Amino acid sequence: MKELWKLKYSDIKKGLNSGEFTPTDLAQSLISRIEAEDSKIKAFLSWEKESILKAAAESTERRKSGKPLSEFDGIPIGVKDNICIENTITSCASKILENYRSPFHATAIEKLLAKGFVLIPRANMDEFAMGSSTENSAYQVTKNPFDTARIPGGSSGGSAAAVAASFVPVALGSDTGGSVRQPASLCGIYGLKPTYGTVSRYGLVAYASSLDQIGPLSKDIDGIIDVYSVISGKDQRDATSKNIPAFDPSKVKELPWKGLKIGKMKITSEIEPDVAKAYESLLAELESKGAQLIDLDFSLLSNSIPIYYIIATAECSSNLSRFDGIRFGQRKDPSGKLDDLYVTSRSEGFGKEVQRRILLGTFSLSAGYYDAYYGRAQKARVLIKKEYEGYFSKVDLILQPTSPTTAFKVGEKTSDPIQMYKADILTTSVNLAGVPAMSVPIGTDSKGLPIGLQITAPALHEDKIFGFAKMISDWASKVELPETIK
């Protein structure tokens, strides 16, 4: 069988539409790839071979009859385990939802199916999207395809690893504080966190409702643009959905180098030397092409980690209260007493990190502490949003490293939650402000591990991010998997 799994998204789309190969050929190639390699990577919690082949066969028939649902008909897409698919287990990588089958599709899933995408669930994740390494899954630890002794990032680590390992050409993740961008960076692929409200959250199991956003991951920019154009747009079932049409890919145009105003950060001690070198090398190249580099003061954003974790844990405390063994979740009733049912169901169903964040959020919302913590954090969030507005009155785009480090080893930070939280130091402020950002691969460190660049734009200006990403695509093309996994 031809190794179609090696193709990037843009080549797959071209091949399907030209008739070079069929959706069934493609699905069989990817299934063979998953069967051969996922025991090393553990990107998927489970996947149903028969349903994938059935969907691919239906797409093949539509294409043979000349009636494809769209130009995307037959393209496989991985799906993170917190995005609901009808009659499919959606466990959020948690024991408490181990056997939960969703009775409905998420809006993003409905839109993908309407265009003929072939779904490949369930990509592993940190439990309830709480983590930066995919080590908090209740079932397995996903490994980085560039080095299986290292983490892929999180919480969308399964989706990112699946794309990087060529199990799927594109995938859906969710981003609350960097959970699409950080694993995209550590796995050497593209990952977009859209403007808040441009992609419906209906059917995304909530972690922190004012921060969560579904976003695509891909090995090339075309996959990001196409998937975003399909899943974006107003949804009446989501009260936070913006009243805008779906993104129009024709808006994407390369930006002029000359006069382009780029906001940059000063390198701090948290940034690894190899990451700093790659970042500064790119900035120097941009300046040589005529871009104007402008130093921005990120001192206020340095407080984004504590602000983020107060708001996120408060919202998670509220959102996860429904998983009590009665309304949702596995029921553990050892004594027949109501209090014991709640305590046992939740203590056995939730992992340690989820319990930690629920307790932190409950504390910050409690009487006597609400104003001191949650209230102050919300006021500080307004300042961060205004800070971004100030930045974009001076610059067109902001460039930063996505992650201060490349992928760290499995188990390296699990004993120190604070160090793990610092992995998101450069990404959380974007979610607090609600602006769009994307991670783009720009090179590798001395160990061959990927380095990502975070591109941030004003709200609703994903087109600027995409246009700039196309301009620097030569850097991304240099990031390739090592021979051991190719």
Side-chain angles (χ1 to χ4, degrees):
M1 182 188 298
K2 187 177 179 182
E3 293 178 320
L4 299 176
W5 59 264
K6 288 185 175 181
L7 299 177
K8 292 185 179 180
Y9 171 88
S10 52
D11 296 322
I12 284 174
K13 180 183 173 184
K14 182 179 178 181
L16 287 173
N17 288 318
S18 67
E20 182 182 345
F21 49 84
T22 69
T24 297
D25 296 333
L26 177 60
Q28 289 174 337
S29 182
L30 291 174
I31 286 170
S32 296
R33 173 69 171 171
I34 295 169
E35 289 177 334
E37 300 293 343
D38 196 37
S39 60
K40 302 174 190 173
I41 306 299
K42 298 187 181 299
F44 292 104
L45 289 169
S46 69
W47 54 284
E48 296 178 4
K49 181 176 179 178
E50 293 75 17
S51 64
I52 295 167
L53 289 174
K54 180 182 177 184
E58 291 171 352
S59 177
T60 298
E61 287 304 311
R62 289 193 294 269
R63 284 191 175 275
K64 283 183 177 179
S65 66
K67 297 179 180 179
L69 293 176
S70 73
E71 60 187 318
F72 314 119
D73 203 342
I75 296 178
I77 184 166
V79 182
K80 188 176 179 179
D81 193 38
N82 63 345
I83 301 173
C84 291
I85 300 174
E86 186 177 348
N87 200 34
T88 299
I89 288 177
T90 306
S91 75
C92 299
S94 177
K95 289 290 186 182
I96 205 163
L97 289 177
E98 188 170 17
N99 298 310
Y100 173 74
R101 287 186 177 271
S102 174
F104 66 98
H105 287 312
T107 296
I109 297 298
E110 288 180 346
K111 290 183 174 184
L112 291 169
L113 290 174
K115 297 294 185 181
F117 279 87
V118 174
L119 306 180
I120 304 185
R122 310 158 36 229
N124 193 28
M125 57 184 284
D126 285 296
E127 184 181 4
F128 282 100
M130 299 180 194
S132 304
S133 64
T134 317
E135 292 173 285
N136 293 330
S137 169
Y139 303 102
Q140 61 191 31
V141 175
T142 298
K143 310 297 176 60
N144 192 310
F146 283 82
D147 181 350
T148 54
R150 297 176 184 272
I151 57 94
S155 64
S156 303
S159 295
V163 172
S166 299
F167 298 156
V168 290
V170 284
L172 289 186
S174 65
D175 192 311
T176 307
S179 290
V180 164
R181 290 160 289 149
Q182 187 249 17
S185 174
L186 302 191
C187 288
I189 61 174
Y190 293 79
L192 172 71
K193 197 294 287 187
T195 302
Y196 183 80
T198 58
V199 177
S200 173
R201 291 186 300 106
Y202 181 79
L204 171 66
V205 180
Y207 161 21
S209 303
S210 72
L211 302 167
D212 298 339
Q213 194 72 124
I214 294 173
L217 302 104
S218 175
K219 273 191 179 180
D220 58 12
I221 185 60
D222 290 340
I224 299 290
I225 295 171
D226 281 352
V227 174
Y228 179 59
S229 71
V230 170
I231 65 174
S232 59
K234 175 66 178 175
D235 181 13
Q236 296 295 338
R237 294 172 294 187
D238 177 3
T240 60
S241 176
K242 291 187 181 297
N243 189 21
I244 58 168
F247 180 76
D248 180 1
S250 68
K251 292 173 61 179
V252 179
K253 293 179 175 59
E254 290 192 12
L255 308 178
W257 289 110
K258 192 170 180 60
L260 184 64
K261 295 179 180 179
I262 299 292
K264 69 184 185 76
M265 65 175 287
K266 292 180 180 178
I267 295 300
T268 63
S269 59
E270 287 94 352
I271 311 295
E272 283 185 349
D274 283 352
V275 175
K277 183 179 178 181
Y279 173 61
E280 291 178 330
S281 174
L282 175 61
L283 291 179
E285 182 72 14
L286 298 178
E287 192 168 33
S288 73
K289 291 179 179 292
Q292 182 181 352
L293 304 184
I294 299 173
D295 287 311
L296 297 178
D297 179 8
F298 288 98
S299 56
L300 177 61
L301 300 193
S302 65
N303 297 310
S304 62
I305 287 287
I307 296 167
Y308 166 82
Y309 275 101
I310 290 172
I311 292 172
T313 57
E315 293 185 13
C316 103
S317 172
S318 175
N319 280 325
L320 270 61
S321 64
R322 73 195 70 176
F323 303 107
D324 55 10
I326 297 174
R327 290 168 290 181
F328 293 97
Q330 298 277 40
R331 185 179 183 125
K332 304 290 183 179
D333 193 3
S335 67
K337 296 180 180 179
L338 185 61
D339 286 352
D340 288 346
L341 185 154
Y342 283 134
V343 171
T344 308
S345 296
R346 290 168 68 83
S347 60
E348 292 185 14
F350 291 135
K352 289 184 178 179
E353 182 60 30
V354 175
Q355 291 182 36
R356 180 184 292 118
R357 297 195 191 196
I358 289 172
L359 290 171
L360 284 170
T362 303
F363 174 79
S364 65
L365 290 174
S366 61
Y369 295 99
Y370 180 96
D371 290 332
Y373 292 99
Y374 185 71
R376 290 179 68 188
Q378 288 288 20
K379 291 175 182 177
R381 181 181 189 173
V382 173
L383 295 179
I384 285 179
K385 187 173 182 179
K386 289 182 177 178
E387 192 82 342
Y388 271 102
E389 291 171 357
Y391 294 154
F392 290 121
S393 68
K394 304 172 188 174
V395 302
D396 299 304
L397 296 166
I398 298 171
L399 303 186
Q400 300 167 277
T402 307
S403 170
T405 70
T406 51
F408 47 88
K409 290 187 176 181
V410 172
E412 185 177 328
K413 298 186 179 182
T414 51
S415 61
D416 190 342
I418 300 301
Q419 289 304 311
M420 187 71 80
Y421 295 167
K422 285 184 177 180
D424 298 328
I425 194 168
L426 299 172
T427 55
T428 53
S429 61
V430 167
N431 298 77
L432 291 168
V435 295
M438 183 169 72
S439 184
V440 176
I442 57 167
T444 55
D445 69 3
S446 57
K447 303 183 189 72
L449 300 170
I451 297 168
L453 174 77
Q454 179 173 239
I455 310 166
T456 307
L460 302 177
H461 279 287
E462 281 80 359
D463 58 319
K464 285 187 177 182
I465 293 176
F466 299 152
F468 183 80
K470 282 181 173 287
M471 293 163 64
I472 62 168
S473 59
D474 286 348
W475 275 271
S477 66
K478 297 172 185 174
V479 180
E480 295 289 345
L481 280 176
E483 290 296 329
T484 52
I485 196 73
K486 276 187 177 180

